[in-house]
Amino acid sequence: MNCPSYFVHPQALVESEQIGEGTRVWAFAHVMKGAVIGKHCNVGDHAFVESNVTVGDGVTIKNGVAIWDGVLLGNHVFVGPNAVFTNDLNPRAEVKKSREQFVPTDIQEGATIGANATIVCGVTIGRYAFIGAGTVVIRDIPAYALVVGNPARKIGYMCECGERLPESLVCPCGKRFERADSGLRKTSAG
């Protein structure tokens, strides 16, 4: 009998067989059959991951997060406590929809979703974007953008290291950025 190369708390329910090496799933979390969770992830207490969800490597999903069919989390995404995802733009209890009718959401590499943020389906959150706590995202967010409010509005940019970028777009860590169509683009590694 093979021992899994990941940890599942005895009070978690993990129905998927596609859990990456080094991943930890904590108490009262539920990962449905068909969900794909990458290597070295952390799935917090009371998190829920539905069947048609893909989670990259090194992702942190904090307590109380529900991730519904059609959500893609890229590598090294951070999802704060009680953040909310949706997958249906016009839900009705009486109208049952198939998986094909759900609207996909793409959270790209390194993005941070703050505590209690709401991500309305159909958006792309760019690489290393930073969604502030309680923010409501209703449209695409560019790479490295820092957004807050309801609806989300850009108030600046964030470095990959997690520091807010000054107007010069040169982070104290040494990384340099320039403006691009998709938000910012890194010009040097620092």
Side-chain angles (χ1 to χ4, degrees), residues 95-118:
V95 179
K96 303 302 177 202
K97 295 183 180 176
S98 67
R99 260 197 190 125
E100 294 74 34
Q101 292 175 292
F102 294 144
V103 180
T105 298
D106 183 10
I107 313 300
Q108 297 182 345
E109 175 185 8
T112 292
I113 311 294
N116 296 304
T118 298

Side-chain angles (χ1 to χ4, degrees), residues 15 47 60 86 105 129 159 163-164 182:
E15 300 169 305
T60 297
T86 69
T105 298
C159 182
E163 293 296 321
R164 188 168 180 176
S182 61

Side-chain angles (χ1 to χ4, degrees), residues 2-77:
N2 278 343
C3 228
S5 59
Y6 53 87
F7 169 79
V8 175
H9 189 281
Q11 293 180 317
L13 175 56
V14 175
E15 300 169 305
S16 176
E17 296 178 7
Q18 299 177 76
I19 309 291
E21 172 185 336
T23 287
R24 298 169 299 166
V25 181
W26 295 100
F28 311 110
H30 183 179
V31 179
M32 291 184 70
K33 182 177 183 173
V36 177
I37 298 185
K39 298 176 183 176
H40 306 290
C41 294
N42 191 47
V43 180
D45 288 7
H46 298 279
F48 175 76
V49 181
E50 203 166 22
S51 296
N52 190 29
V53 168
T54 301
V55 175
D57 296 336
V59 172
T60 297
I61 300 167
K62 297 305 268 181
N63 297 0
V65 174
I67 305 174
W68 306 107
D69 282 345
V71 174
L72 168 65
L73 301 180
N75 294 336
H76 308 291
V77 166

